[in-house]
Amino acid sequence: KATVSVLYWRMKRVVLGDGRTLAFREYGCASGLPVVFAHGNLNSRMFTPMWDKTCSTTTQCGVRLIAVDRPGYGGSTYLKDRTYMSFGDDVRALMADLQLDKIAVLGYSSGGPNVLAAAAALGDKVACCGLFSSDGPYKAMGINQRIFNKEEITKEELLQRTKQSAENLRQAYANARPERVASLTTDLDTALEQGHDAGPSQDGWLESREWDIDLSAITCPVLLYHGDKDTDVPHECSEYLAKQLKNPSLHILEGENHSLIRRKWEEVLTAVVSACKC
């Protein structure tokens, strides 16, 4: 495993063709497999999956992790008509700026459909796609009522839902281990830099609508990890996605919940690197 030429939380921005800015940070092995990571809702590029071990573990796995703020989060310009597939276009521009010919993609929770869109848009430029506790196409699955407490939810209702979720997280973070509070609050504060009604509420809107992703266009291996005790995003989502994909590897983990990324980061990075070598 690679342990040299480490990138320590390197921050960068790229200006896109339409003048928007895409913010990201890099960490891990500078010469390792480039993996574009899409955070969850009310997270940001500042999310640290393994707390203070995130950078060292990512480095040891031989991964150059590129954690991107989606439009409307942190330092990435809000895009009013953002879709899942538009994120694929943003990743294409990011690859060009970083002079990357091929990448893997990794998404957590609401980041899942975004990296699936990137895999669909970029074709053989994506060697592997990994998903932690990914959202599913709730509307197509017929579970909007279960997720949002109604079949059709308005943007104003989603905004109020987002505000309440953020407040719940802030209260929970205040009671976290002292050494983790700064990481958690920095991540949440960064996610909300442009307001609740920017990226976070917009993610909720996309989650509640029909996806614009052609899952049949994804040819790379897709590794899906989901806990059977996840009460935020039901594991049926990953099971549904696996049935729609050409090359899935589904892992329903007994006893795990929505935060499994914090315990399975090394395992999944290792699996992604391995899949890219096949």
Side-chain angles (χ1 to χ4, degrees):
K1 295 183 178 180
T3 56
V4 295
S5 301
V6 181
L7 293 168
Y8 290 107
W9 316 117
R10 178 178 152 206
M11 310 294 297
K12 192 175 179 183
R13 289 176 172 81
V14 57
V15 178
L16 304 173
D18 59 3
R20 288 184 295 117
T21 295
L22 195 69
F24 62 97
R25 71 171 178 169
E26 294 182 273
Y27 56 87
C29 178
S31 60
L33 172 71
V35 177
V36 172
F37 176 65
H39 57 76
N41 200 334
L42 292 171
N43 295 128
S44 71
R45 69 183 187 276
M46 303 303 290
F47 179 69
T48 51
M50 285 191 68
W51 312 110
D52 59 346
K53 296 180 180 179
T54 299
C55 187
S56 60
T57 299
T58 303
T59 301
Q60 290 164 10
C61 288
V63 167
R64 173 187 176 185
L65 205 288
I66 305 163
V68 182
D69 278 338
R70 283 195 294 287
Y73 283 89
S76 292
T77 310
Y78 176 69
L79 178 61
K80 180 180 178 181
D81 298 319
R82 175 165 68 97
T83 67
Y84 286 133
M85 289 305 292
S86 69
F87 183 74
D89 295 332
D90 289 349
V91 173
R92 188 192 306 276
L94 178 63
M95 290 178 66
D97 184 78
L98 296 178
Q99 299 182 329
L100 300 173
D101 294 324
K102 201 161 192 171
I103 62 170
V105 292
L106 192 59
Y108 170 49
S109 192
S110 65
N114 287 275
V115 296
L116 285 170
L122 298 172
D124 61 7
K125 292 182 179 296
V126 174
C128 180
C129 176
L131 302 177
F132 289 101
S133 313
S134 178
D135 283 336
Y138 300 135
K139 191 174 182 67
M141 293 173 66
I143 61 171
N144 261 6
Q145 180 72 43
R146 177 178 172 185
I147 301 298
F148 301 104
N149 297 318
K150 60 192 310 181
E151 288 298 331
E152 297 291 339
I153 189 165
T154 68
K155 290 184 177 181
E156 180 57 34
E157 289 169 332
L158 282 166
L159 175 58
Q160 296 308 313
R161 179 186 173 96
T162 299
K163 288 180 177 179
Q164 186 60 58
S165 294
E167 180 58 28
N168 292 346
L169 285 176
R170 200 171 293 282
Q171 292 178 11
Y173 293 169
N175 297 315
R177 295 182 189 179
E179 68 272 17
R180 295 177 177 178
V181 171
S183 173
L184 290 165
T185 55
T186 296
D187 181 36
L188 180 58
D189 289 344
T190 303
L192 293 172
E193 280 181 5
Q194 298 179 55
H196 299 78
D197 59 344
S201 186
Q202 189 179 52
D203 264 346
W205 177 252
L206 292 176
E207 291 159 15
S208 71
R209 316 309 293 175
E210 295 285 358
W211 286 12
D212 63 330
I213 310 167
D214 180 4
L215 295 175
S216 68
I218 300 173
T219 56
C220 69
V222 180
L223 314 182
L224 304 98
Y225 295 80
H226 218 122
D228 69 349
K229 303 301 183 185
D230 193 332
T231 57
D232 295 291
V233 178
H235 63 83
E236 290 93 332
C237 291
S238 287
E239 292 169 339
Y240 179 91
L241 289 171
K243 292 177 182 178
Q244 311 301 314
L245 294 162
K246 291 180 178 178
N247 193 6
S249 178
L250 177 64
H251 307 265
I252 302 299
L253 306 180
E254 184 177 355
E256 280 289 358
N257 58 28
H258 199 61
S259 64
L260 70 84
I261 187 172
R262 299 203 180 274
R263 293 170 293 281
K264 300 298 180 180
W265 182 249
E266 181 176 11
E267 177 182 328
V268 175
L269 286 188
T270 300
V272 168
V273 171
S274 178
C276 289
K277 291 178 180 178
C278 295

